[in-house]
Amino acid sequence: MARMRKKKNLIPRTLACADHYFDDPKANKGNWRSACNMPEGCQLFVEIGCGKGMFSEKMAQKYPDVCYVAIEREPSCCLLAMERAKNADLKNLFFIRGDATEMLEFFDKEEVDRIFINFCDPWTRQNKPKRRLTYRAFLDMYREVMRKGGQIHFKTDNDPLFDFTLEELAASGWEATCVTRDLHHSEWDSDNIRTEFETKYAEQGIPIKSTVAKMLEK
Ligand SMILES: C[S@@+](CC[C@H](N)C(=O)[O-])C[C@H]1O[C@@H](n2cnc3c(N)ncnc32)[C@H](O)[C@@H]1O
């Protein structure tokens, strides 16, 4: 994937989005809802690799009572996503400018209700399965931070990555439901929010693969 060029005025533009990120997100571990001024009983959704944040913005709009936290490690992408949140004046959308490998430092046990992973890097050409965000070590981390009834919502354009993900889920105590290899022509599309990459792949006629994985008992 082509790397995004560093944005002009990255620092002042980032500072202007201060309501949507935390200088030390690890300090919020176990405390995200109150840190985000959201009710203690609300659900916490986490998106990994939000890119430019179109999906994050629409999800936060669709679920105003949910505390929505998006993780993005590329500063220029994260900036664009934060600017979307600011421009839309969303009070429930926050960002972690960081890496999902540090998940256990960001979130406490049983703090998260849902995780969204959309069009993550497949690492197929380089054959590096352990770097895939659905490798079993990642799934075990997600389990650790999930509340009972937790779900992972996963979408990809990539068949080998989808097959790999279904295998890893089955091996790691997750039940893959709503499995489809053509989301846009499935019964689940009416509820679907498209991401930037999803829109691009759909325009190219590439079918989107997706599943909602449910956590089996811990
Ligand atoms: C292919 S893009 C997809 C962006 C968006 N989800 C979409 O569907 O349009 C993958 C994004 O995930 C981010 N990413 C990849 N690995 C990550 C990680 N370990 N932690 C946080 N972000 C990550 C990348 O920087 C990139 O912005």
Side-chain angles (χ1 to χ4, degrees):
M1 190 179 56
R3 255 185 129 66
M4 181 178 272
R5 241 188 291 147
K6 198 174 161 192
K7 286 274 157 290
K8 264 195 192 160
N9 304 320
L10 185 71
I11 294 171
R13 282 171 65 184
T14 299
L15 289 173
C17 298
D19 288 349
H20 296 278
Y21 71 90
F22 299 86
D23 287 329
D24 181 11
K26 291 177 186 171
N28 292 348
K29 179 172 171 171
N31 205 24
W32 274 96
R33 292 168 178 82
S34 70
C36 296
N37 282 324
M38 298 290 293
E40 268 319 306
C42 77
Q43 293 198 85
L44 177 63
F45 289 1
V46 173
E47 183 184 346
I48 300 178
C50 68
K52 297 179 196 168
M54 186 167 94
F55 181 82
S56 324
E57 178 190 359
K58 290 186 181 164
M59 285 292 286
Q61 275 165 341
K62 182 172 177 180
Y63 299 104
D65 298 332
V66 163
C67 182
Y68 198 98
V69 178
I71 308 175
E72 174 53 57
R73 68 180 177 189
E74 192 60 54
S76 295
C77 279
C78 197
L79 171 64
L80 295 178
M82 292 195 299
E83 287 183 334
R84 274 181 174 278
K86 179 174 177 268
N87 293 339
D89 196 24
L90 288 166
K91 307 289 186 216
N92 61 331
L93 177 51
F94 304 89
F95 294 86
I96 295 176
R97 297 170 301 154
D99 201 298
T101 51
E102 296 187 281
M103 196 81 183
L104 298 182
E105 293 172 59
F106 294 133
F107 300 101
D108 210 349
K109 282 188 180 151
E110 307 195 8
E111 188 167 21
V112 175
D113 293 280
R114 283 188 201 177
I115 290 178
F116 295 84
I117 305 171
N118 296 320
F119 303 89
C120 62
D121 307 331
W123 293 102
T124 34
R125 258 181 295 150
Q126 305 88 336
N127 196 22
K128 296 244 184 330
K130 292 184 180 176
R131 295 206 186 170
R132 295 177 190 146
L133 291 176
T134 51
Y135 176 60
R136 59 192 66 189
F138 279 101
L139 295 180
D140 289 346
M141 276 202 289
Y142 306 152
R143 166 180 291 276
E144 185 90 9
V145 301
M146 282 270 187
R147 289 213 284 211
K148 200 172 174 213
Q151 300 176 351
I152 301 170
H153 292 232
F154 177 78
K155 294 194 272 191
T156 183
D157 58 301
N158 186 291
D159 279 298
L161 175 64
F162 193 56
D163 293 336
F164 171 87
T165 298
L166 293 178
E167 283 167 22
E168 292 296 287
L169 288 167
S172 310
W174 298 82
E175 183 194 1
T177 69
C178 310
V179 175
T180 173
R181 288 178 187 270
D182 191 357
L183 175 63
H184 297 171
H185 296 100
S186 77
E187 61 188 286
W188 298 292
D189 193 43
S190 55
D191 202 33
N192 181 41
I193 291 177
R194 294 190 185 195
T195 77
E196 272 107 353
F197 272 67
E198 183 171 357
T199 306
K200 191 179 78 179
Y201 291 128
E203 280 166 9
Q204 293 169 13
I206 299 172
I208 305 304
K209 279 58 76 173
S210 74
T211 184
V212 175
K214 297 193 174 160
M215 188 174 70
L216 301 174
E217 288 301 312
K218 285 197 182 185

